[in-house]
């Protein structure tokens, strides 16, 4: 197995400011824990006391330190330490062999074509791994992108495993993700996630993936997603109640962990009809899920794959905890699968394309009712994959969206105007999704500035040509969505949070209409299957929260820094002061009107309307294979 040093050991160097308006610069700090388990309790500080002078000094020191590191990196790039080499060693060897008379025809199968044939060598950035620390890896990759361009090789030390291709060019990203997608696997990512996702959709190799994608995608049909809107509303309402209590008590709130819990509750119900109730429950299965999630993130940044050493699993208390957590999750999933099978056996409902069981509209229920012929191990892998894919991503989007809103009160108040006029005091319905256009643009813009995940990982399965550069089979590749989304040549005022860049009368931005310069949900055959689900979930949550509260960063809160696991986390949470809006309190009411569809099946009227219209609601893009 390629070492998991893989992902991200290497590129963690500091950067200099790359844009005068770069808002992230002053905030970057590092710490390793992600959304913290057990932070559900509101902070005891009300954050309204005098500003902590020590805190200010600490922040100033941090900023100074970061600036120094970035300046150092810039100087090193300028001095040629990360030198763009004209010819890599492969080319040099090829040239040497040509010189001593080996005919080209023998060299081509070994080396592919070379610049003599109109192809170029890939620019090389080389450096010392020791110097590269202190920031999330995608930040220095941005700096190197500005120096070396849309495709370069990052090499550390003599080992082959320390060589990565960094892609920041939209046309090369399109080639890898869409046009020649079959020539690429998930590589390192699949190796890191194997222990928790097995052969679930995200890591799966082509053969398994094709079968499972064909089985799972139909489960996320329009009626299903429409039926989920009530669930999103209920989960957000529970969060509103927590925030309401905090507002009454004058307590600041750590929002990242609350968003993590809210989205866990949503995805548990949506995927296998399980109520984690994590907003009020910290133990058992909730703890197990977080143990496994943190382990996946730790493995992605660990230099040595300790967990592969057989004895280590048995003696390391941490690994024993992970194994126990996995066992608890697997047992719970097995129970849920068994319960669901019994329900399906007993029901008389005819399965059809847009099948939804009203009592249990979960994806698991759809799969079992469809007669999906699959081993229980594969089914568990698929469920775990969706649990993880649909949980941390949505939580991260909400976290960074609210962070950005605290920086731009003008955007927040425009958002509140739209929500007031579209929703009033109601719970959102599927029809509202296309009306809440500004809300949707705010989320698109948040996903541009904070893409989740910030890089997509691939490995070449055969020799290929990326633009003018030939590459060999077995190359590990990072497509830096961060670089694509922050590229100063592509975006006007790239670092500004400006939802207005997406006109309300224009299409909802996606990878197709932005020609792969914008990849909020990936692209090509491995594009996210939950894009519409996630878009509606985040629209509902943002709309319901801003309708009821104002959000400000708490005074004296730690500076907001970024750190990476699969998604971008904050380093120390994001502590906010919540105040009720001065409008009369809004007590939302659920739309209870139902219509009968197909005999004994009922759906909300809005869901039925959506289904009847045959349209994809809310303009959210989806290119499913
Ligand atoms: C805002 C929330 C979300 C974001 C930003 C997001 C983003 C992404 C991205 C960028 C990919 C492509 C990964 C790659 O090409 O390597 C992906 C794949 C995937 N996502 Fe999402 N996702 C979100 C929510 C969800 C939800 C809610 C679900 C499940 C209900 C989900 C399930 C998946 C699955 C199964 C894949 C793998 C698809 C395949 O390989 O065929 N995602 N997601």
């Amino acid at each position: 197995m390629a070492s998991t040093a893989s992902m991200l050991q290497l590129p963690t160097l500091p950067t200099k400011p790359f844009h005068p308006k770069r808002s992230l610069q002053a905030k970057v700090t590092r710490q390793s824990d992600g959304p913290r388990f057990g932070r559900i309790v509101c902070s005891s500080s009300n954050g309204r006391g005098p500003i902590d002078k020590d805190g200010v000094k600490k922040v100033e020191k941090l900023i100074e330190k970061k600036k120094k590191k970035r300046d150092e990196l810039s100087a090193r790039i300028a001095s040629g330490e990360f030198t763009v080499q004209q010819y890599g060693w492969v080319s040099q060897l090829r040239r040497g062999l040509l010189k001593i008379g080996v005919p080209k025809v023998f060299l081509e199968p070994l080396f592919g074509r070379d610049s003599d044939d109109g192809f170029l060598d890939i620019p090389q950035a080389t450096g010392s791994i020791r110097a590269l620390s202190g920031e999330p890896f995608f930040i220095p990759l941005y700096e190197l992108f500005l120096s070396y361009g849309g495709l370069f090789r990052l090499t550390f030390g003599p080992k082959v495993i320390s060589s990565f291709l960094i892609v920041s060019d939209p046309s090369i990203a399109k080639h890898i993700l869409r046009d020649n997608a079959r020539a690429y696997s998930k590589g390192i990512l699949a190796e890191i996630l194997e222990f928790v996702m097995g052969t679930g959709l995200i890591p799966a190799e082509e053969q398994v993936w094709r079968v499972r994608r064909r089985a799972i995608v139909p489960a996320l049909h329009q009626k299903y997603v429409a039926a989920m809107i009530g669930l999103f509303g209920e989960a957000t309402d529970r969060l509103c109640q927590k925030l309401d209590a905090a507002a009454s008590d004058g307590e600041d709130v750590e929002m990242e962990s609350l968003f993590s819990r809210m989205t866990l509750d949503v995805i548990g119900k949506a995927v296998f009809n399980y109520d984690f109730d994590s907003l009020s429950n910290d133990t058992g299965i909730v703890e197990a899920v977080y143990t496994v999630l943190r382990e996946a993130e730790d493995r992605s940044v660990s230099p040595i794959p300790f967990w592969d050493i057989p004895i280590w699993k048995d003696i390391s208390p941490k690994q024993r905890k992970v194994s126990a957590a996995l066992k608890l999750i697997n047992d719970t999933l097995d129970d849920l699968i068994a319960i669901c099978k019994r329900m399906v056996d007993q029901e008389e409902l005819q399965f059809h394309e847009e099948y939804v069981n009203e009592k249990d509209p979960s994806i698991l229920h759809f799969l079992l009712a469809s007669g999906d012929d699959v081993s229980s191990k594969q089914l568990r892998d698929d469920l775990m994959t969706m649990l993880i894919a649909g949980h941390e991503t949505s939580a991260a989007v909400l976290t960074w969206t609210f962070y950005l809103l605290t920086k731009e009160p003008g955007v927040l108040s425009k958002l509140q105007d739209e929500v007031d006029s579209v929703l009033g005091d109601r719970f959102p319905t599927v029809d509202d999704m296309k009306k809440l256009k500004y809300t949707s643009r705010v989320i698109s813009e948040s996903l541009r500035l904070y893409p989740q995940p910030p890089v997509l990982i691939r490995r070449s399965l055969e020799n290929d040509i990326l633009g003018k550069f030939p590459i060999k089979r077995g190359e590990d590749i990072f497509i830096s969505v961060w670089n694509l989304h922050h590229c100063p040549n592509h975006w006007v005022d790239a670092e500004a949070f400006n939802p207005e860049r997406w006109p309300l009368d224009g299409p909802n931005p996606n990878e197709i209409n932005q020609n792969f310069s914008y990849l909020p949900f990936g692209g090509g055959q491995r594009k996210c299957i939950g894009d519409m689900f996630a878009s509606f979930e985040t629209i509902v949550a943002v709309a319901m929260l801003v309708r009821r509260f104002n959000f400000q960063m708490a005074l004296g809160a730690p500076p907001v820094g970024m750190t990476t696991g699969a998604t971008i986390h904050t380093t120390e949470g994001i502590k906010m002061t919540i105040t009720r809006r001065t409008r009369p309190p809004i007590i939302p009411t659920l739309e209870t009107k139902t219509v009968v569809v197909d005999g004994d099946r009922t759906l909300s009227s809005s869901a039925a309307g959506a289904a009847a219209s045959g349209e994809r609601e809310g303009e959210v893009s989806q290119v499913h294979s």
Side-chain angles (χ1 to χ4, degrees):
M1 152 178 170
S3 161
T4 44
S6 42
M7 208 167 137
L8 311 176
Q9 188 33 346
L10 5 130
T12 11
L13 41 162
T15 60
K16 70 168 189 207
F18 50 75
H19 191 282
K21 288 213 172 174
R22 183 177 170 175
S23 56
L24 301 174
Q25 287 296 318
K27 298 166 213 130
V28 178
T29 59
R30 188 175 161 83
Q31 186 183 301
S32 57
D33 55 336
R36 275 127 295 272
F37 185 70
R39 283 251 187 107
I40 192 160
V41 185
C42 301
S43 141
S44 57
S45 140
N46 69 8
R48 295 190 190 91
I51 301 178
D52 174 356
K53 275 193 191 140
D54 284 350
V56 173
K57 271 200 190 128
K58 203 172 123 195
V59 176
E60 281 172 356
K61 248 187 168 168
L62 268 173
I63 295 171
E64 189 50 40
K65 211 167 132 195
K66 293 288 158 194
K67 189 179 168 306
K68 212 171 140 201
K69 278 193 148 189
R70 283 194 193 99
D71 289 347
E72 272 167 25
L73 175 65
S74 301
R76 289 171 58 201
I77 288 175
S79 76
E81 181 177 338
F82 295 89
T83 316
V84 178
Q85 291 174 0
Q86 271 257 294
Y87 302 115
W89 67 269
V90 175
S91 280
Q92 282 174 23
L93 179 61
R94 182 183 184 275
R95 273 160 227 274
L97 291 172
L98 271 175
K99 260 192 195 157
I100 59 167
V102 180
K104 242 182 181 180
V105 64
F106 292 126
L107 298 181
E108 237 177 57
L110 289 173
F111 297 97
R113 280 174 290 183
D114 202 11
S115 42
D116 298 351
D117 311 311
F119 290 98
L120 301 172
D121 282 349
I122 295 172
Q124 308 260 340
T126 57
S128 147
I129 198 162
R130 269 180 304 130
L132 311 179
S133 64
E135 283 190 311
F137 70 94
F138 53 85
I139 297 289
L141 284 191
Y142 183 89
E143 186 74 9
L144 291 167
F145 153 57
L146 295 184
S147 297
Y148 297 120
L151 178 70
F152 64 93
R153 185 187 302 284
L154 188 59
T155 309
F156 290 88
K159 288 189 202 153
V160 178
I161 55 159
S162 311
S163 167
F164 292 82
L165 288 179
I166 313 297
V167 172
S168 317
D169 176 312
S171 63
I172 297 180
K174 193 203 284 182
H175 175 83
I176 296 170
L177 295 176
R178 193 184 74 179
D179 301 340
N180 199 22
R182 295 187 73 158
Y184 294 88
S185 73
K186 294 288 179 96
I188 295 156
L189 188 76
E191 287 158 7
I192 294 169
L193 295 177
E194 204 277 331
F195 82 105
V196 54
M197 292 190 188
T199 54
L201 260 195
I202 287 186
E205 295 285 337
E206 176 86 13
Q207 249 184 336
V208 174
W209 169 79
R210 206 157 275 284
V211 175
R212 295 315 296 150
R213 178 131 181 157
R214 210 173 290 136
I216 294 169
V217 165
L220 287 106
H221 55 72
Q222 278 180 13
K223 265 190 197 168
Y224 165 78
V225 178
M228 289 297 108
I229 290 198
L231 174 68
F232 303 153
E234 284 163 29
T236 311
D237 194 43
R238 284 207 295 274
L239 176 56
C240 285
Q241 286 163 28
K242 289 231 159 256
L243 298 185
D244 211 35
S248 294
D249 298 347
E251 288 191 336
D252 293 334
V253 183
E254 200 291 282
M255 292 300 293
E256 186 173 26
S257 79
L258 289 178
F259 284 136
S260 173
R261 284 152 188 280
M262 189 192 94
T263 57
L264 178 63
D265 289 353
V266 164
I267 205 76
K269 285 293 276 179
V271 174
F272 36 71
N273 196 28
Y274 185 81
D275 188 3
F276 285 106
D277 191 19
S278 69
L279 273 169
S280 28
N281 168 28
D282 256 2
T283 51
I285 185 79
V286 176
E287 187 176 9
V289 168
Y290 280 104
T291 300
V292 168
L293 285 174
R294 294 293 81 83
E295 176 66 12
E297 296 195 340
D298 288 353
R299 288 187 183 196
S300 74
V301 291
S302 168
I304 300 166
F306 289 113
W307 53 90
D308 272 353
I309 305 167
I311 189 113
W312 189 251
K313 275 189 201 127
D314 304 321
I315 57 167
S316 151
K318 187 174 172 234
Q319 291 308 313
R320 291 218 311 258
K321 194 175 172 199
V322 170
S323 302
L326 270 174
K327 183 169 177 342
L328 178 60
I329 295 169
N330 285 340
D331 290 350
T332 309
L333 286 178
D334 283 341
D335 288 348
L336 290 170
I337 292 169
I339 293 169
C340 192
K341 271 189 180 146
R342 282 201 294 278
M343 273 178 90
V344 169
D345 286 346
Q346 282 162 14
E347 79 191 14
E348 281 158 22
L349 202 60
Q350 195 72 31
F351 181 79
H352 60 104
E353 227 180 33
E354 293 214 303
Y355 169 96
V356 179
N357 180 300
E358 199 213 347
K359 276 196 202 128
D360 170 9
S362 69
I363 293 175
L364 171 62
H365 200 109
F366 180 98
L367 291 175
L368 292 176
S370 73
D372 186 23
D373 183 18
V374 63
S375 70
S376 41
K377 158 86 172 75
Q378 181 63 49
L379 194 51
R380 276 200 325 252
D381 287 350
D382 290 332
L383 298 177
M384 262 320 268
T385 299
M386 284 185 274
L387 178 79
I388 293 175
H391 163 220
E392 295 273 271
T393 43
S394 300
V397 172
L398 290 172
T399 300
W400 292 107
T401 301
F402 277 84
Y403 171 70
L404 289 165
L405 288 174
T406 62
K407 304 277 148 212
E408 294 291 345
V411 174
L412 176 62
S413 84
K414 199 167 161 186
L415 192 57
Q416 287 171 328
D417 287 347
E418 176 179 89
V419 175
D420 290 346
S421 73
V422 173
L423 286 187
D425 291 351
R426 285 187 294 107
F427 267 90
T429 66
V430 74
D431 291 331
D432 296 320
M433 295 303 103
K434 57 183 164 200
K435 294 185 196 144
L436 290 166
K437 277 182 187 287
Y438 191 67
T439 314
S440 157
R441 298 298 186 269
V442 164
I443 293 162
S444 297
E445 180 67 347
S446 159
L447 262 167
R448 186 184 68 79
L449 286 171
Y450 294 94
Q452 313 294 347
V455 295
L456 302 178
I457 297 176
R458 294 293 188 272
R459 182 176 292 153
S460 56
L461 296 170
E462 50 193 60
N463 295 354
D464 195 9
I465 293 163
L466 301 180
K468 289 187 167 178
F469 302 101
I471 64 158
K472 306 284 289 175
R473 179 174 187 271
E475 295 273 16
D476 282 316
I477 300 173
F478 288 176
I479 298 172
S480 172
V481 185
W482 179 277
N483 289 355
L484 289 165
H485 286 195
H486 288 250
C487 176
N489 296 336
H490 185 81
W491 306 97
V492 177
D493 214 354
E495 296 309 314
F497 174 51
N498 176 23
E500 277 71 16
R501 76 173 74 241
W502 312 107
L504 293 187
D505 55 359
N508 202 52
N510 62 33
E511 80 287 4
I512 306 287
N513 58 38
Q514 298 303 309
N515 208 7
F516 280 69
S517 288
Y518 178 65
L519 299 175
F521 293 102
Q525 62 178 19
R526 304 298 291 251
K527 183 177 174 177
C528 181
I529 63 168
D531 60 345
M532 185 152 70
F533 180 109
S535 298
F536 288 0
E537 179 187 15
T538 47
I539 289 175
V540 168
V542 168
M544 286 179 67
L545 287 165
V546 303
R547 167 171 74 179
R548 199 145 155 192
F549 303 104
N550 284 316
F551 296 81
Q552 283 169 295
M553 290 304 292
L555 289 176
V560 178
M562 294 185 290
T563 181
T564 17
T567 55
I568 308 173
H569 296 299
T570 70
T571 47
E572 294 183 65
I574 183 159
K575 202 183 262 185
M576 290 190 179
T577 301
I578 314 290
T579 44
R580 288 193 201 93
R581 287 180 66 202
T582 45
R583 309 170 64 231
I586 294 163
I587 298 145
T589 48
L590 264 175
E591 263 205 343
T592 48
K593 205 173 134 203
T594 54
V595 290
V596 177
V597 186
D598 287 351
D600 57 347
R601 199 157 50 94
T602 58
L603 283 170
S604 77
S605 53
S606 50
S613 76
E615 292 167 11
R616 210 180 138 117
E617 295 294 332
E619 290 180 65
V620 177
S621 73
Q622 198 176 34
V623 187
H624 287 153
S625 51

